[in-house]
Amino acid sequence: MDPIEVSQLDGIVEIQQLGTGDGKTLNGLVDGHQLQGGQLRDLLDSLSAGITAAGGSLVYPTVDSRMPPSSWYSFARVNPSIKGVVLAPFRDKYEYRRVNSMLDRAGWTAEQRSAATSEITLAASAVLRAAADYVSDLTECFIVSQRWTNCSFFAKMEFEDGKRYLGKSTYVSKEMANMLRPFIEYALVYAIGSTANTSNITDEESCAEFVKNQNDLHVYMYSWQADPYTGVFRCYRSPYIHFDTISPAFQIEDYDFKNTTYSTWAESVYKVNNLRLYLVQDESYEYIMLLIGIIVGRCNEDTFVNKRDEHVEEE
């Protein structure tokens, strides 16, 4: 697959910090110079139409607007004219919300959950024109439910032996099986796939055989999977293909790993120490020692001298 050049990109739309606003509006954050030049009008109007269709509203930026920290800067360094928009609940003040985000909440109130779902729906409608019910189902599965298969949308998937009982985790590891990618692939194929050209296929073997006779495999992928709402299996054709991406740093012979041109990130390996138990004194002991400390602290040298003088005078 040929790499995508920056010159081929029409614009960059990034979504940030969903679930931290009121669920009714999203702000369009841009570089004011681009807005002043009229480059962003069509893109902003398109995003606004999607948000409005989902029952929300887009707060348009002004010429004084500044782009918050985002991936747009990486592209702008190569081509400053490339269009960029960040959709986010915040407007004038940027706060790093990786900590204390909606995913860090121990529990949800009904209002918080409703606002977060609404905000995600607005963004999905703006970018993908996704239906509200579909977004709500995915929010339930990926964010709210305690286990992957607790939500009905994913419960109809077939699993290899044992994988159904894996706990819910978004940690991607080469050493351990993780169901995050299969679930994302499953939802993506259903969202953008079609059965119009494969409606006469009734089993997995026929779907696999059908694939062998197609000459569009460089564009489409064929998948045998269940409809998440009915549980009926069908052969889906979708414009989705996944690739194993390897950093050139691991492909170039004798590459100097001190060079930061290419990513050399690797999975961390660590050990968790065994649990150690410590005995802790009862709280009453601490209070007694504190009281003794206060008494001793007040009985300084002068106190003892005064008491001795009083005793001498009495004699």
Side-chain angles (χ1 to χ4, degrees):
M1 184 177 182
D2 295 330
I4 298 175
E5 302 293 338
V6 174
S7 59
Q8 296 175 289
L9 298 176
D10 182 63
I12 305 295
V13 178
E14 182 171 323
I15 300 170
Q16 293 189 9
Q17 300 186 17
L18 296 182
T20 60
D22 59 7
K24 300 176 182 178
T25 61
L26 286 177
N27 295 286
L29 307 173
V30 303
D31 177 65
H33 297 293
Q34 288 191 346
L35 184 68
Q36 195 170 17
Q39 300 169 253
L40 302 174
R41 172 55 61 179
D42 291 343
L43 179 56
L44 288 170
D45 287 346
S46 176
L47 295 173
S48 178
I51 293 175
T52 302
S57 61
L58 174 69
V59 179
Y60 276 74
T62 66
V63 293
D64 297 324
S65 177
R66 296 179 61 189
M67 181 71 83
S70 66
S71 59
W72 173 79
Y73 286 99
S74 298
F75 296 95
R77 280 196 291 267
V78 180
N79 180 10
S81 64
I82 189 168
K83 294 180 286 187
V85 176
V86 169
L87 292 179
F90 61 85
R91 181 169 179 80
D92 299 320
K93 183 180 179 181
Y94 177 83
E95 294 182 11
Y96 181 68
R97 295 299 296 270
R98 178 62 182 86
V99 180
N100 295 326
S101 69
M102 67 175 179
L103 296 179
D104 293 317
R105 294 193 181 117
W108 291 62
T109 65
E111 292 77 15
Q112 288 174 330
R113 179 172 173 176
S114 176
T117 302
S118 176
E119 216 160 72
I120 295 170
T121 302
L122 297 183
S125 180
V127 178
L128 302 173
R129 299 298 192 267
D133 291 344
Y134 184 64
V135 176
S136 179
D137 289 334
L138 292 183
T139 303
E140 177 73 26
C141 291
F142 281 107
I143 299 176
V144 179
S145 65
Q146 296 298 313
R147 298 181 68 85
W148 289 120
T149 54
N150 280 6
C151 66
S152 60
F153 192 86
F154 287 156
K156 296 180 177 65
M157 287 184 66
E158 287 191 343
F159 296 84
E160 297 176 13
D161 292 342
K163 283 191 175 182
R164 175 180 290 274
Y165 304 101
L166 289 177
K168 187 175 183 181
S169 172
T170 56
Y171 179 68
V172 178
S173 169
K174 184 178 180 181
E175 300 295 330
M176 299 173 61
N178 185 285
M179 294 302 294
L180 178 61
R181 193 177 80 171
F183 280 122
I184 293 176
E185 182 177 317
Y186 174 76
L188 186 61
V189 168
Y190 177 76
I192 65 176
S194 171
T195 59
N197 297 326
T198 58
S199 57
N200 60 328
I201 297 177
T202 58
D203 57 76
E204 186 173 6
E205 291 183 6
S206 299
C207 183
E209 191 65 29
F210 180 79
V211 172
K212 296 178 182 179
N213 300 322
Q214 304 306 305
N215 57 6
D216 58 359
L217 296 181
H218 61 291
V219 178
Y220 296 103
M221 181 182 77
Y222 292 82
S223 307
W224 179 256
Q225 67 178 46
D227 183 306
Y229 295 106
T230 65
V232 177
F233 277 80
R234 296 178 179 177
C235 187
Y236 287 85
R237 186 182 79 162
S238 61
Y240 159 72
I241 301 175
H242 66 261
F243 294 89
D244 291 330
T245 55
I246 302 175
S247 171
F250 298 103
Q251 296 177 317
I252 299 174
E253 188 175 353
D254 298 326
Y255 179 77
D256 182 8
F257 285 94
K258 294 180 180 179
N259 188 332
T260 58
T261 302
Y262 299 110
S263 172
T264 55
W265 179 89
E267 179 186 349
S268 299
V269 178
Y270 60 91
K271 291 184 178 180
V272 178
N273 290 331
N274 294 331
L275 180 65
R276 296 179 181 179
L277 299 179
Y278 296 90
L279 295 178
V280 179
Q281 291 282 359
D282 186 78
E283 288 186 2
S284 60
Y285 174 80
E286 297 179 359
Y287 293 141
I288 293 172
M289 295 304 296
L290 176 61
L291 180 60
I292 294 174
I294 293 174
I295 295 173
V296 172
R298 295 189 62 183
C299 297
N300 53 30
E301 184 178 350
D302 294 336
T303 303
F304 289 110
V305 171
N306 292 335
K307 292 294 183 182
R308 185 183 60 185
D309 293 341
E310 292 175 1
H311 182 68
V312 171
E313 290 176 0
E314 290 177 357
E315 292 179 350

